[in-house]
Amino acid sequence: MSRPHGIPLPSAQRSSDSDETESACADDKQGQPRPREGVRQLTGAERVRTLVESNASVSLTLIGARDSHESEEFGTGLPVARTVTPDGDVILLVSGESAAARAAAHAQDDDLTAVIEITDVAPVSVAHRIRGRAWLAGWLTPVRGDDRAACAALLAERQPVGELLGMRESLDPPHAGRPAWMMLRLEVGEISVDDLWGAEHVDPEDLAAAEPDPMVAHESELLQHLHSAHGDRLGELGGLLGAREARGMSAVPLSLDRLGLRVRFTGGPAGSFDARFDFPEPVADICGLRRAMHSLFSAASY
């Protein structure tokens, strides 16, 4: 599918060392440490799908739909939930009073173009806290007819929201009679991601086939627990790198997925760097993660 005309998407070219501050992952002049080579990783489609299904912050920009009455409202009606259909469309739940809902309700089938931007921020305190961004561009329409029940059930399954099944009308003037909540469908035409693994474009068909990482619902809590309760043991993982300079450095857990744990080491002569520790095998649930972490810590203790 071709990109909707006039939708600006960031370049998926990797930033050079001299231009690192322009990367979506760079939040100060030094720039985000990049991963070392030779480690297993999720595909670009899996990373984007995981971001869509996560609790990362999201903004919705409508292209060419502003008018004098709505210009200040665009960007304020943020989606409160989102998910991906089996066909690869992104379903968004927005306030029925938002400008996005009003614009979609009055648009023709394919003349309202939009960009979703998802910003992934590490749940622990660390320099360069923005871990990545993803952009999904396409055509925005309301979910109508028989699709409403199926999309509502899919949203409720992936991201339970109290308002979801109450698609009631608002009783508050001047919006009386409007749905309190509206589901919108983004038919995705182009996807770009720039994160800890680098920058690339993702085929929308690959997004439809990808699955979110099973750790996405637990990652924030797990990283915070590792940081607060097991900081000393994380530091011991530096011994697995075979580098003396890693010993004694401060270690902060930065990200976690089914394939491994990424730790940021700081405070040493080598400066800041990320190290990725692969699990013996992919984990599917919390029990598998406990075994994988035990294996890592045991290996580091020898």
Side-chain angles (χ1 to χ4, degrees):
M1 183 179 297
S2 60
R3 185 175 106 184
H5 177 70
I7 295 186
L9 281 182
S11 171
Q13 291 291 325
R14 286 290 301 272
S15 301
S16 66
D17 291 342
S18 61
D19 294 329
E20 190 101 44
T21 54
E22 298 302 320
S23 167
C25 292
D27 55 11
D28 68 20
K29 292 183 179 180
Q30 181 178 345
Q32 184 77 274
R34 291 295 190 181
R36 297 186 174 182
E37 301 297 330
V39 294
R40 294 177 299 177
Q41 61 175 290
L42 305 182
T43 66
E46 288 174 324
R47 286 161 19 224
V48 173
R49 180 67 184 263
T50 298
L51 283 177
V52 173
E53 305 284 4
S54 73
N55 291 323
S57 63
V58 61
S59 64
L60 174 63
T61 301
L62 307 181
I63 308 300
R66 296 179 178 84
D67 61 34
S68 58
H69 299 291
E70 296 179 340
S71 60
E72 294 183 358
E73 298 183 42
F74 280 83
T76 61
L78 300 180
V80 297
R82 72 262 184 180
T83 192
V84 179
T85 70
D87 294 329
D89 297 337
V90 178
I91 304 300
L92 305 167
L93 182 68
V94 301
S95 168
E97 301 174 2
S98 67
R102 295 200 303 272
H106 294 93
Q108 299 299 319
D109 287 343
D110 60 357
D111 68 350
L112 182 59
T113 53
V115 177
I116 300 172
E117 179 176 344
I118 305 174
T119 302
D120 181 31
V121 180
V124 295
S125 180
V126 63
H128 317 295
R129 197 165 179 177
I130 296 178
R131 301 187 297 188
R133 291 189 174 94
W135 299 263
L136 301 92
W139 299 267
L140 197 67
T141 56
V143 176
R144 296 188 173 99
D146 295 339
D147 288 341
R148 285 168 54 84
C151 290
L154 186 60
L155 271 173
E157 175 187 349
R158 295 291 175 85
Q159 298 189 33
V161 177
E163 302 90 345
L164 186 58
L165 298 180
M167 298 290 181
R168 60 192 183 283
E169 294 182 345
S170 174
L171 301 178
D172 300 325
H175 307 295
R178 291 180 181 170
W181 299 95
M182 179 180 286
M183 287 182 293
L184 303 179
R185 180 193 306 274
L186 184 76
E187 182 184 355
V188 180
E190 187 167 347
I191 304 168
S192 180
V193 61
D194 185 1
D195 60 11
L196 293 170
W197 295 106
E200 62 183 284
H201 289 297
V202 173
D203 191 312
E205 293 183 359
D206 292 338
L207 178 70
E211 290 290 334
D213 188 83
M215 294 294 102
V216 63
H218 313 287
E219 187 201 22
S220 294
E221 181 180 358
L222 290 169
L223 290 180
Q224 291 168 355
H225 173 73
L226 285 172
H227 184 46
S228 62
H230 301 288
D232 54 341
R233 304 204 70 181
L234 288 172
E236 293 175 359
L237 293 178
L240 297 176
L241 302 177
R244 290 185 177 180
E245 60 268 21
R247 298 180 183 274
M249 295 181 69
S250 175
V252 179
L254 187 64
S255 67
L256 175 71
D257 56 54
R258 71 176 186 274
L259 300 179
L261 171 71
R262 185 192 300 270
V263 177
R264 179 156 297 166
F265 290 89
T266 60
S272 299
F273 66 90
D274 287 0
R276 173 80 174 187
F277 300 93
D278 287 346
F279 296 145
E281 59 185 21
V283 300
D285 51 34
I286 296 298
C287 291
L289 177 65
R290 289 195 184 101
R291 292 192 295 269
M293 292 301 302
H294 178 75
S295 296
L296 280 182
F297 289 146
S298 295
S301 66
Y302 287 110

